[in-house]
Amino acid sequence: MYSVEILLLATAATTLASLQRAETHASYTPNNLTVAFCCEVLELAGLGDLILYPGAESYDERVGSYWSEAAQLTPTCFVQPRDAVEVAQVVSTLVESNNTYPCKFAVRSAGHTTWAGSNNIEDGVTIDLGLINNTIYYAENSTAGVGPGARWLGVYKTLDALNIAAAGGRAGTVGVVLSSGAIVDANNETNPDLFRALKGGNNNFGIVTRFDLEVFETTLLWGGVVVYPNDTTPAQLQALKNFCDKIESNPYGSAIGIWQFTSQTDATIIINAYDYTAAVERPAVYDEFLAIPGNISDSLRITNMSDLTQELEQAAGYRDSFFTLTFKNDIRMYEKAIQMHNSYVELIKASEAAGNWTLQDMFQPLPAIFAKHSVEMGGNMLGLDRFDENLVLWQTYLAWQAPDQDDLFHSFGDAFIAELKDYAISIGADNPFIYLDYAYKTQDPLASYGKENYDHIKAMAEKYDPLGVFQTMVPGGFKISKAGEPIK
Ligand SMILES: Cc1cc2nc3c(=O)[nH]c(=O)nc-3n(C[C@H](O)[C@H](O)[C@H](O)COP(=O)(O)OP(=O)(O)OC[C@H]3O[C@@H](n4cnc5c(N)ncnc54)[C@H](O)[C@@H]3O)c2cc1C
Ligand SMILES: *[C@@H]1O[C@H](CO)[C@@H](O)[C@H](O)[C@H]1NC(C)=O
Ligand SMILES: *[C@@H]1O[C@H](CO)[C@@H](O)[C@H](O)[C@H]1NC(C)=O
Ligand SMILES: *[C@@H]1O[C@H](CO)[C@@H](O)[C@H](O)[C@H]1NC(C)=O
Ligand SMILES: *[C@@H]1O[C@H](CO)[C@@H](O)[C@H](O)[C@H]1NC(C)=O
Ligand SMILES: *[C@@H]1O[C@H](CO)[C@@H](O)[C@H](O)[C@H]1NC(C)=O
Ligand SMILES: *[C@@H]1O[C@H](CO)[C@@H](O)[C@H](O)[C@H]1NC(C)=O
Ligand SMILES: *[C@@H]1O[C@H](CO)[C@@H](O)[C@H](O)[C@H]1NC(C)=O
Ligand SMILES: *[C@@H]1O[C@H](CO)[C@@H](O)[C@H](O)[C@H]1NC(C)=O
Ligand SMILES: *[C@@H]1O[C@H](CO)[C@@H](O)[C@H](O)[C@H]1NC(C)=O
């Protein structure tokens, strides 16, 4: 990421004018003000064309577009701005209305965060950025401007056709709307302090309206998915552990290992996903994986980025939750996590779990070289540069069907991470990092970034959102004002 465009709060004069407008809105008296007022002030501000109300087919479509059914809350209305200026108008209007009624709002881009309330709201307005989803390539500076509502598949399809690619982690310019209604750029020269904070700091500062990604020329890639039976587990764990240690000298390669149990098949399978960013068949760095016999299916091939991405789609239509931990790249942690996968399959089977369900456990290498590259690119908030050893990022993922079993499945996830964390501590293989994108709401990613980064996020939230709009009016997401004591 090169830079971002972001929205700040409106100036005091504008705020006052709209406040008076809202207060004199004839159809409300102090006695009958309700949350419906929050949508009506948006209508009054001339934004009626952007609003979707319950009962409309388009409203139901947007509710249903949240990937996890658990996140499909029903806001008082959705508002769908088409550009940064409209985002600014929506935010200013809602902030101004606070003087009359305590309007709450949510911010949603692709709506993939699984837990309820992170990106949506009951009794409030959801600002849905889904229409700001374009990808524009600028040859003059090798940059692609990407809207926050874009999906990676759409981005890759656009770029594949031009024989270029972008890596999510290398974004460098971001457009952001702040709670003042101001639209500002953040990059390594303009608002560099905000830019750094945005890389990992979640929605504590403003609303990002454009990401500028650095692109690079690419030919085709090698990769795909190889599926194996459960009984190859010991060899897979060792190959994954060793692969993580090899990344520093093999920067083109990546590998992810997924253990997936589904109640429909009553079996655990192992899904290995490989991507090698050069058109080379079976590169040597994968030899240890490729020597494991007995695969069930193998799609390895040379192809483009969008084709590879499409293959990793996960089934929608469930209630889902992710939980995450990070550990040292120690084989005992891999073994323990999969022993626990097996025992939790039995525990869930023995519970009142109804309908179809899935338990999936995933390992992603997080070698020390990643943090070094991030620092070279200007740094971020994750704090991984505090550690000089190879790490592994672990995710446990539960999917189920019954709305009245949310608590049951969340309790399995919470218990799983607590037990695995205790084991990691007991053998000295623990690491405090919590990857925000995979964290459940009971986890504390911002505190896991370390004191220096925690302090920076706090300072930037105060500097760019002095009224605390994103702390009090936007309850969803990981809030710096609610984070625990930062971990050293
Ligand atoms: C099937 C699936 C596959 C996944 N694969 C990966 C993967 O390969 N790698 C990975 O890292 N993660 C992955 N994830 C996790 C996913 O990346 C995160 O959930 C994702 O980054 C969320 O982006 P989103 O646009 O969907 O955000 P949303 O869920 O819409 O929002 C997330 C949070 O950010 C806030 N927010 C949203 N837009 C803005 C904005 N424009 N400005 C400020 N704040 C905003 C929201 O209020 C919310 O708190 C996956 C998730 C799913 C469901
Ligand atoms: C609020 O009450 C006033 C006075 O009784 C009435 O005119 C108005 O229509 C009501 N507004 C709403 C939104 O119910
Ligand atoms: C952007 O969103 C619109 C409306 O949902 C959709 O029709 C269009 O296909 C999307 N564009 C891309 C590139 O995904
Ligand atoms: C790249 O060029 C485009 C078009 O001139 C411009 O809008 C954008 O801000 C530039 N991006 C960067 C990162 O310089
Ligand atoms: C990417 O590869 C797929 C599968 O081979 C193909 O259908 C598609 O046209 C390719 N896209 C581009 C832009 O080359
Ligand atoms: C900012 O980033 C650009 C693009 O990566 C780079 O060319 C420039 O040297 C950087 N400037 C500073 C001050 O780091
Ligand atoms: C997978 O294999 C392990 C032994 O390695 C076993 O304990 C477990 O029950 C198996 N899982 C399934 C779903 O068969
Ligand atoms: C998967 O099995 C098939 C059939 O035995 C074999 O041809 C292929 O090479 C195997 N793939 C891998 C990645 O080992
Ligand atoms: C569970 O999955 C099976 C097989 O896909 C399907 O036939 C069945 O209808 C599903 N059960 C429920 C409750 O949805
Ligand atoms: C909203 O109003 C409440 C109550 O008057 C006040 O405490 C809070 O500071 C206001 N928030 C903003 C962002 O103005």
Side-chain angles (χ1 to χ4, degrees):
M1 184 169 64
Y2 269 138
S3 108
V4 285
E5 181 180 83
I6 187 165
L7 174 89
L8 289 158
L9 269 167
T11 61
T14 323
T15 308
L16 192 61
S18 328
L19 256 180
Q20 283 159 352
R21 194 178 60 210
E23 278 172 345
T24 56
H25 181 19
S27 75
Y28 284 100
T29 70
N31 293 330
N32 63 8
L33 265 174
T34 68
V35 64
F37 167 83
C38 306
C39 300
E40 216 161 308
V41 285
L42 293 172
E43 298 265 4
L44 270 186
L47 301 166
D49 290 351
L50 312 180
I51 301 177
L52 311 177
Y53 289 103
E57 215 172 282
S58 51
Y59 176 97
D60 292 341
E61 188 277 320
R62 294 318 287 164
V63 171
S65 72
Y66 285 83
W67 182 78
S68 164
E69 288 185 358
Q72 294 178 358
L73 304 181
T74 51
T76 310
C77 61
F78 285 104
V79 57
Q80 294 191 296
R82 291 162 298 198
D83 56 33
V85 171
E86 288 181 350
V87 176
Q89 288 170 339
V90 168
V91 173
S92 305
T93 305
L94 291 171
V95 170
E96 290 152 14
S97 74
N98 180 57
N99 225 36
T100 310
Y101 183 87
C103 291
K104 297 255 191 291
F105 62 101
V107 181
R108 172 251 160 99
S109 283
H112 270 63
T113 304
T114 54
W115 51 273
S118 58
N119 48 19
N120 201 355
I121 194 165
E122 294 285 348
D123 297 322
V125 175
T126 293
I127 303 178
D128 175 356
L129 302 168
L131 296 183
I132 310 181
N133 64 351
N134 50 340
T135 301
I136 304 172
Y137 173 56
Y138 300 108
E140 60 266 41
N141 52 21
S142 298
T143 299
V146 175
R151 308 293 179 97
W152 281 113
L153 180 59
V155 176
Y156 292 145
K157 275 188 173 163
T158 306
L159 301 185
D160 271 346
L162 301 163
N163 290 322
I164 53 176
R170 294 204 66 187
T173 277
V174 216
V176 194
V177 176
L178 301 173
S179 58
S180 61
I183 302 166
V184 302
D185 279 341
N187 53 55
N188 63 359
E189 280 156 12
T190 307
N191 299 313
D193 54 355
L194 173 61
F195 181 51
R196 222 160 61 78
L198 282 163
K199 293 189 273 182
N202 204 192
N203 60 359
N204 284 287
F205 323 101
I207 299 180
V208 175
T209 52
R210 194 189 74 241
F211 298 90
D212 289 346
L213 309 177
E214 182 181 346
V215 302
F216 53 91
E217 283 184 25
T218 171
T219 52
L220 297 175
L221 304 81
W222 176 83
V225 169
V226 190
V227 179
Y228 292 90
N230 183 31
D231 64 8
T232 63
T233 291
Q236 305 286 358
L237 295 176
Q238 195 62 55
L240 260 175
K241 191 264 172 205
N242 293 345
F243 186 89
C244 181
D245 287 332
K246 284 187 249 183
I247 288 177
E248 184 153 0
S249 46
N250 293 274
Y252 293 113
S254 73
I256 299 178
I258 300 168
W259 272 249
Q260 184 188 71
F261 174 88
T262 58
S263 62
Q264 291 101 310
T265 57
D266 193 33
T268 289
I269 52 170
I270 300 157
I271 303 166
N272 286 348
Y274 312 137
D275 285 306
Y276 192 80
T277 50
V280 178
E281 290 276 1
R282 301 168 85 95
V285 66
Y286 294 94
D287 280 353
E288 195 174 348
F289 287 114
L290 298 175
I292 301 172
N295 72 72
I296 299 168
S297 69
D298 169 356
S299 74
L300 294 173
R301 66 204 180 282
I302 289 176
T303 187
N304 58 36
M305 193 75 177
S306 46
D307 187 44
L308 277 175
T309 310
Q310 231 153 338
E311 204 180 347
L312 277 176
E313 275 304 311
Q314 284 169 292
Y318 285 86
R319 310 177 75 79
D320 310 270
S321 244
F322 298 159
F323 299 78
T324 188
L325 288 177
T326 304
F327 354 98
K328 292 181 181 159
N329 191 39
D330 181 321
I331 191 69
R332 292 172 295 174
M333 290 311 304
Y334 289 79
E335 288 165 354
K336 177 68 177 180
I338 296 309
Q339 278 164 20
M340 286 187 60
H341 169 90
N342 293 330
S343 58
Y344 272 73
V345 162
E346 298 308 323
L347 279 174
I348 299 170
K349 277 189 192 175
S351 75
E352 307 86 73
N356 294 326
W357 55 273
T358 294
L359 173 65
Q360 181 173 296
D361 286 284
M362 175 166 78
F363 301 97
Q364 281 182 265
L366 207 51
I369 187 78
F370 284 10
K372 289 198 194 104
H373 286 159
S374 304
V375 170
E376 285 158 19
M377 288 301 292
N380 58 40
M381 290 296 101
L382 307 189
L384 287 168
D385 49 316
R386 278 137 71 217
F387 315 113
D388 55 9
E389 64 225 327
N390 292 338
L391 302 172
V392 58
L393 177 63
W394 171 83
Q395 182 200 66
T396 195
Y397 155 43
L398 286 154
W400 64 98
Q401 292 185 306
D404 64 356
Q405 296 202 325
D406 289 359
D407 289 349
L408 175 71
F409 278 90
H410 288 143
S411 70
F412 283 124
D414 282 329
F416 199 136
I417 48 172
E419 187 180 339
L420 191 54
K421 177 86 184 168
D422 282 349
Y423 176 77
I425 292 170
S426 77
I427 64 163
D430 60 309
N431 180 278
F433 178 64
I434 298 294
Y435 185 48
L436 188 144
D437 281 7
Y438 294 169
Y440 183 53
K441 66 178 175 188
T442 49
Q443 302 194 273
D444 196 350
L446 302 181
S448 86
Y449 295 167
K451 178 151 172 49
E452 203 182 312
N453 293 318
Y454 169 97
D455 286 347
H456 186 67
I457 292 172
K458 204 168 167 82
M460 291 304 102
E462 280 160 14
K463 176 174 173 184
Y464 289 97
D465 177 21
L467 295 178
V469 168
F470 288 93
Q471 303 307 311
T472 57
M473 295 182 73
V474 185
F478 292 99
K479 298 289 139 170
I480 192 63
S481 55
K482 303 243 164 71
E485 275 297 301
I487 289 159
K488 221 177 151 12

